[in-house]
Amino acid sequence: MSTLTAPFSLPRWLQAGTLALGLGLAGCDNYPATGDTVTTGTYEATATVTQTWRAEYARSFDRRQTIHMETFNSNSLVNRNGVRPDGAATGPDDEGLYWPPLPPRPTADELEARKREPIEQRTDPTLLRDVEYALTFDYNGQRRTLPTTRTVYREASQAFADQQALEITFGPGEQSVGAARRIANFDR
């Protein structure tokens, strides 16, 4: 789930495409609960948060084929089970996540150095915030880590805080976790 925290202006023709791409990418984080269900008392929910400065460059922002994205400094932090991690500068936010300090904003010299041609223009740097959710748990004598959603991360974090087990439902092909539900009583 990616969001921009600093607004920048896009040409009108690119706004609709960017919205469609954003909606399509948001669907990538949707892991449907279609598989088997497993109950575990040993698990760890993680949310890896990353903040990255980026800017767009182009000869003409009216010509899509001339636009390229450049990324600059980045900082990441791993949230585990909803507990404030060492190195957190802010949080919890509205999603229950803690964030690292902002990475250094690119300097004017760094921004200029990324131009491929002297005639290129650029947007102001924007801060991209990205989150990747995962759930690690014991299953059939093995430790598995699978991607998941914000909803599963929150449910697992609350279960961890309450010392409860989780009932996990796999996504397609057991390649993701589509759902999790707290279970009050569970024999370990």
Side-chain angles (χ1 to χ4, degrees):
M1 174 172 65
S2 301
T3 57
L4 292 175
T5 57
F8 67 95
S9 178
L10 289 175
R12 276 202 188 289
W13 65 267
L14 189 56
Q15 289 175 356
T18 303
L19 176 61
L21 178 62
L23 292 174
L25 290 177
C28 294
D29 287 341
N30 185 12
Y31 299 107
T34 59
D36 292 337
T37 299
V38 175
T39 301
T40 183
T42 308
Y43 55 89
E44 179 181 69
T46 59
T48 303
V49 297
T50 304
Q51 301 177 116
T52 305
W53 287 105
R54 70 178 191 178
E56 289 184 333
Y57 292 79
R59 278 193 232 157
S60 170
F61 284 102
D62 293 334
R63 297 184 54 208
R64 193 178 337 186
Q65 64 271 24
T66 70
I67 299 173
H68 63 97
M69 183 74 63
E70 294 289 332
T71 58
F72 296 89
N73 297 314
S74 182
N75 278 351
S76 293
L77 184 70
V78 178
N79 289 257
R80 285 185 172 78
N81 299 319
V83 177
R84 183 183 184 93
D86 291 340
T90 62
D93 64 9
D94 294 344
E95 303 294 329
L97 300 173
Y98 296 89
W99 291 86
L102 288 177
R105 185 181 170 102
T107 65
D109 289 342
E110 290 172 322
L111 290 165
E112 286 298 312
R114 296 289 180 94
K115 284 186 174 182
R116 294 182 182 167
E117 301 175 43
I119 62 168
E120 278 191 329
Q121 302 170 353
R122 66 167 172 81
T123 61
D124 288 337
T126 58
L127 188 64
L128 175 69
R129 298 181 99 189
D130 184 60
V131 181
E132 292 183 15
Y133 297 97
L135 188 66
T136 301
F137 57 97
D138 292 337
Y139 177 61
N140 282 343
Q142 295 181 3
R143 194 87 168 141
R144 295 195 63 187
T145 300
L146 296 175
T148 193
T149 63
R150 180 192 69 80
T151 304
V152 170
Y153 171 80
R154 295 288 299 144
E155 184 73 9
S157 295
Q158 291 167 355
F160 182 84
D162 294 339
Q163 299 180 353
Q164 294 177 311
L166 278 181
E167 182 181 79
I168 298 166
T169 304
F170 288 107
E174 294 188 0
Q175 298 302 305
S176 63
V177 175
R181 183 174 66 90
R182 291 182 272 173
I183 298 177
N185 297 316
F186 175 67
D187 293 331
R188 295 178 191 228

